[in-house]
Amino acid sequence: MRFKLTLAALSIASSSACFAQTRWDLPSGYPATNFHTENLIQFAADVDKATGGKLKISVHANASLFKAPEIKRAVQGGQAQMGEILLSNFSNEWPVFGVDGIPFLADSYDASMKLYKAQRPLMERKLAEQGMLLLYTVAWPPQGIYVKKPINSAADLKGVKWRAYNPATARIAELVGAQPVTVQAAELAQAMATGVIESYMSSGSTGYDTKTYEHIKYFYDTQAWLPKNAVIVNKAAFDALDKPTQAALQKAGAEAETRGWATSRQKNTEYLDLLKKNGMNIVAPSPQLATDMKKVGDTMLHEWLQKAGPEGQTLIDAYKKP
Ligand code: PCA
């Protein structure tokens, strides 16, 4: 008996020595069926496979582990080893995080990718200062206006209860005279059901995820900007991995980025079709509404440049360079 126990203890000790398994948490703010989350799950499966099960990443969808605006700090503090954030949620901390939330600065997938390339080196530096790594980003589909009644101009949005998801969408509300209330995606369906909000700007993706068509019948396809989610990693947790595991994580991240951008592009039209099937009117903005929203964008770019200073100007110049 004693001999057996010793052998068992020995075998456990030796197996854990050559097979140390690491478990990471990956909080995200969006539902499990959202394309960003599906991409994260695929990423985690790829890492599991590439490391032979050495690094197990658990994706916690729909703000179940941390509320969306808290995920960045959780990763920085090591409460989560990695996480998915909406970059423009952090524009008050540092304007560069919010450059992809400025209306009509980059309003197509190609422009958005170009903006990302100009923004990425700056973000890598900032996140490194904060003890984190930028693994990858994926753009949301272009943002349009969900509203209960038909609108012809921005003036028609006056006094409307408007859901904001970041400082930029709150600023848009102020500029058009709507009443902003900040509500994260995980609470959006409830905010519509209880009448807390009656309008908002977002993608077809979030409109579909939250069954917006049950409460709101119009989507004005302004294609105003494409905000990005970013997947970030705690640097100390990363450094504690062996080299092959680090390489596997980075490779799976790069693949998730390519796959995510392609899926976003492809699903954009699918989501709009699904909304239509569920009774939503997908409307092209009138010339007046388009002009009004463009003006809002011009004001916000001006305000952003004032806040971001020379660093911001350099970023915009790099983006605009042909
Ligand atoms: N969906 C997220 C952010 C941008 C988007 O398309 C949301 O509405 O919260």
Side-chain angles (χ1 to χ4, degrees):
M1 188 64 188
R2 225 175 117 198
F3 175 68
K4 263 192 185 158
L5 266 178
T6 312
L7 259 189
L10 257 180
S11 86
I12 287 167
S14 68
S15 77
S16 66
C18 60
F19 191 81
Q21 191 181 71
T22 304
R23 290 187 169 271
W24 278 13
D25 288 313
L26 196 176
S28 104
Y30 305 99
T33 51
N34 178 272
F35 76 96
H36 287 285
T37 319
E38 287 173 350
N39 198 32
L40 286 174
I41 290 164
Q42 175 74 56
F43 157 80
D46 290 349
V47 171
D48 189 337
K49 199 165 162 216
T51 63
K54 258 179 145 182
L55 179 56
K56 296 266 182 203
I57 299 171
S58 306
V59 177
H60 303 270
N62 216 24
S64 57
L65 199 56
F66 295 99
K67 289 188 173 156
E70 291 165 7
I71 293 174
K72 181 166 176 283
R73 192 169 307 152
V75 175
Q76 185 169 11
Q79 287 93 347
Q81 293 77 15
M82 64 187 296
E84 184 184 54
I85 62 170
L86 180 78
L87 286 165
S88 54
N89 253 336
F90 303 93
S91 57
N92 286 342
E93 181 190 316
W94 186 51
V96 174
F97 284 137
V99 75
D100 63 14
I102 303 168
F104 304 108
L105 175 63
D107 55 6
S108 67
Y109 280 95
D110 291 344
S112 177
M113 178 51 89
K114 201 166 174 230
L115 181 62
Y116 170 44
K117 284 188 175 145
Q119 186 192 17
R120 177 156 181 139
L122 301 178
M123 291 198 296
E124 279 177 341
R125 205 187 56 217
K126 174 63 91 188
L127 290 167
E129 282 165 21
Q130 299 180 332
M132 292 180 278
L133 297 173
L134 177 61
L135 195 60
Y136 72 87
T137 73
V138 173
W140 285 91
Q143 309 283 291
I145 308 171
Y146 290 99
V147 61
K148 291 215 173 193
K149 296 198 182 103
I151 53 170
N152 278 313
S153 69
D156 293 335
L157 292 165
K158 275 215 169 65
V160 160
K161 288 184 268 176
W162 172 281
R163 174 257 178 171
Y165 62 75
N166 65 1
T169 46
R171 182 67 185 132
I172 295 173
E174 283 172 11
L175 290 168
V176 301
Q179 296 175 39
V181 195
T182 299
V183 179
Q184 291 309 321
E187 272 121 39
L188 177 53
Q190 203 192 343
M192 284 187 284
T194 54
V196 171
I197 66 112
E198 52 194 3
S199 179
Y200 68 97
M201 285 190 81
S202 189
S203 57
S205 171
T206 290
Y208 183 70
D209 284 349
T210 56
K211 296 196 165 85
T212 292
Y213 44 80
E214 289 182 354
H215 310 280
I216 295 176
K217 296 293 178 205
Y218 294 90
F219 180 73
Y220 286 85
D221 192 12
T222 52
Q223 305 180 14
W225 71 95
L226 292 79
K228 292 187 295 295
N229 278 358
V231 176
I232 53 173
V233 182
N234 178 285
K235 179 78 166 47
F238 182 81
D239 289 344
L241 301 172
D242 60 32
K243 288 278 177 272
T245 306
Q246 289 179 346
L249 191 80
Q250 271 168 329
K251 180 165 179 279
E255 287 165 5
E257 179 162 281
T258 307
R259 186 174 59 233
W261 282 76
T263 308
S264 180
R265 207 185 260 264
Q266 169 213 328
K267 286 220 159 178
N268 177 31
T269 42
E270 285 178 28
Y271 282 128
L272 296 183
D273 286 345
L274 282 166
L275 288 174
K276 217 186 270 175
K277 263 193 205 120
N278 283 282
M280 182 83 71
N281 301 292
I282 310 292
V283 195
S286 69
Q288 185 62 55
L289 180 61
T291 307
D292 292 348
M293 295 312 289
K294 178 74 177 59
K295 219 173 124 203
V296 166
D298 292 345
T299 302
M300 288 176 62
L301 177 59
H302 181 72
E303 290 173 350
W304 184 88
L305 280 166
Q306 279 179 332
K307 274 192 226 153
E311 183 176 45
Q313 190 60 57
T314 311
L315 166 53
I316 299 297
D317 292 346
Y319 162 62
K320 293 210 160 146
K321 213 169 86 192

